[in-house]
């Protein structure tokens, strides 16, 4: 393919994850020209958010909150999260779900799924087209961040949730397991397995110590490796070497 021929001609290639690096090596790209760097975030911006505004506006005080933040696309696994919630409510009926992010054509499917929850639809808050200031408040307000996506080149929202000190749930799909260290800073499920998702949500809701451990480890990882200043420095070094 053209893209691989172009990469072969480059002096260097910057990859987001080791998954991407290994994929390109399997395609015949020389390993020595691939530099794994990733993406970054501003951890202080998320750490300073309180979430109080979101909790008050959407009547979340006193309830455990699971949040998804991201584009409302078909590959993001949001439908898996909605399917998992009735199983969560069997054990924790007061749990609340926030789905926040930019609308797509797939949003109509999600709207119908939420409506079909009947009376439990009141436990779901859907916030369309949020800006960065509201995003950080949503992440501060939640107890668990779940993004059971089927495709991510990295998954910057995992960094943002970690920056807010939250445990994350991802999938064993594509690059995601190279970003989330299972059992250390997050938990993983099989893509589209809503029963497994419900199980790990309940595990986190019932285990405060585990939630704190995963969130604290994630926050530490972001501060050590994924601030924009550290990422920019790594980019600059690659350019200087070239």
């Amino acid at each position: 393919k053209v893209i691989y021929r172009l990469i072969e001609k480059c002096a260097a290639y910057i990859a987001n994850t080791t998954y991407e690096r290994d994929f390109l090596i399997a395609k015949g790209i020389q390993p020595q020209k691939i530099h794994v760097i990733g993406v970054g975030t501003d951890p202080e911006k998320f750490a300073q958010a309180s979430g109080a505004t979101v909790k008050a506006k959407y009547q979340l005080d006193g309830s455990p909150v699971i949040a998804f933040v991201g584009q409302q696309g078909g590959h993001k696994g949001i439908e898996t999260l909605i399917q998992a919630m009735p199983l969560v409510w069997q054990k924790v009926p007061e749990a609340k779900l926030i789905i926040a992010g930019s609308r797509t054509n797939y949003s109509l499917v999600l709207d119908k799924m939420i409506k079909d929850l009947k009376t439990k639809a009141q436990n779901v808050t859907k916030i369309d087209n949020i800006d960065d200031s509201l995003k950080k408040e949503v992440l501060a307000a939640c107890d668990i961040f779940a993004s059971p996506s089927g495709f991510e080149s990295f998954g910057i929202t995992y960094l943002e949730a970690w920056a807010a000190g939250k445990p994350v749930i991802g999938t064993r799909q594509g690059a995601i397991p190279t970003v989330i260290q299972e059992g250390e800073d997050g938990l993983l499920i099989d893509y589209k397995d809503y029963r497994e998702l419900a199980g790990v949500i309940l595990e986190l809701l019932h285990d405060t110590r585990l939630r704190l451990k995963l969130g604290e480890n994630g926050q530490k990882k972001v501060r050590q490796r994924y601030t924009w200043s550290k990422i920019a420095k790594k980019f600059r070094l690659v350019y200087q070497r070239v």
Side-chain angles (χ1 to χ4, degrees):
K1 290 185 177 181
V2 174
I3 184 66
Y4 303 126
R5 292 201 298 270
L6 289 173
I7 294 172
E8 286 173 355
K9 293 179 179 180
C10 292
Y13 179 91
I14 295 174
N16 277 338
T17 63
T18 55
Y19 174 87
E20 183 181 355
R21 177 200 63 198
D22 295 345
F23 179 87
L24 290 172
I25 291 172
K27 293 292 183 180
I29 307 301
Q30 296 174 334
Q32 62 269 24
K33 72 167 56 180
I34 304 173
H35 304 265
V36 179
I37 294 180
V39 295
T41 189
D42 181 356
E44 294 308 317
K45 179 175 69 174
F46 291 92
Q48 291 169 4
S50 70
T53 302
V54 167
K55 287 184 177 182
K57 182 175 181 178
Y58 298 106
Q59 300 178 333
L60 302 174
D61 280 320
S63 300
V65 179
I66 302 98
F68 167 89
V69 176
Q71 185 188 63
Q72 297 173 24
H75 67 282
K76 289 289 190 176
I78 308 170
E79 76 284 354
T80 308
L81 187 52
I82 296 172
Q83 290 170 333
M85 289 310 297
L87 298 178
V88 173
W89 288 323
Q90 287 178 13
K91 303 290 185 181
V92 187
E94 70 276 19
K96 301 292 178 65
L97 172 64
I98 298 178
I99 298 169
S102 56
R103 286 184 69 84
T104 69
N105 291 336
Y106 192 73
S107 297
L108 295 174
V109 175
L110 302 176
D111 293 342
K112 184 179 184 304
M113 288 184 71
I114 295 169
K115 184 178 179 180
D116 288 345
L117 293 172
K118 309 291 186 188
T119 58
K120 278 299 184 181
Q122 65 185 358
N123 283 35
V124 181
T125 298
K126 192 160 174 288
I127 309 171
D128 295 333
N129 305 318
I130 65 169
D131 58 21
D132 283 346
S133 62
L134 184 55
K135 178 199 290 187
K136 67 182 182 181
E137 291 298 321
V138 168
L139 291 173
C142 76
D143 299 286
I144 299 167
F145 176 76
S147 182
S149 176
F151 174 81
E152 297 293 336
S153 62
F154 186 96
I156 196 168
T157 53
Y158 299 124
L159 296 186
E160 293 169 339
W162 279 330
K166 308 301 178 176
V168 305
I169 300 173
T171 64
R172 304 180 187 97
Q173 187 89 352
I176 296 170
T178 65
V179 176
I180 299 172
Q181 188 175 355
E182 187 168 17
E184 277 300 309
D185 46 45
L187 298 177
L188 299 173
I189 64 160
D190 288 340
Y191 182 48
K192 293 191 175 183
D193 190 336
Y194 72 92
R195 293 184 182 277
E196 187 178 16
L197 178 55
V200 298
I201 289 173
L202 287 169
E203 179 183 2
L204 288 172
L205 289 178
H206 289 136
D207 193 337
T208 303
R209 183 176 296 180
L210 178 60
R211 286 203 313 275
L212 291 174
K213 170 196 165 185
L214 299 180
E216 288 172 0
N217 287 346
Q219 191 174 60
K220 186 183 299 182
K221 181 161 77 172
V222 170
R223 289 175 173 170
Q224 290 176 345
R225 295 169 53 185
Y226 294 114
T227 65
W228 278 125
S229 61
K230 288 181 170 63
I231 294 298
K233 183 177 180 180
K234 291 178 181 178
F235 265 80
R236 186 176 294 110
L237 285 172
V238 172
Y239 277 77
Q240 288 172 342
R241 289 168 186 165
V242 169

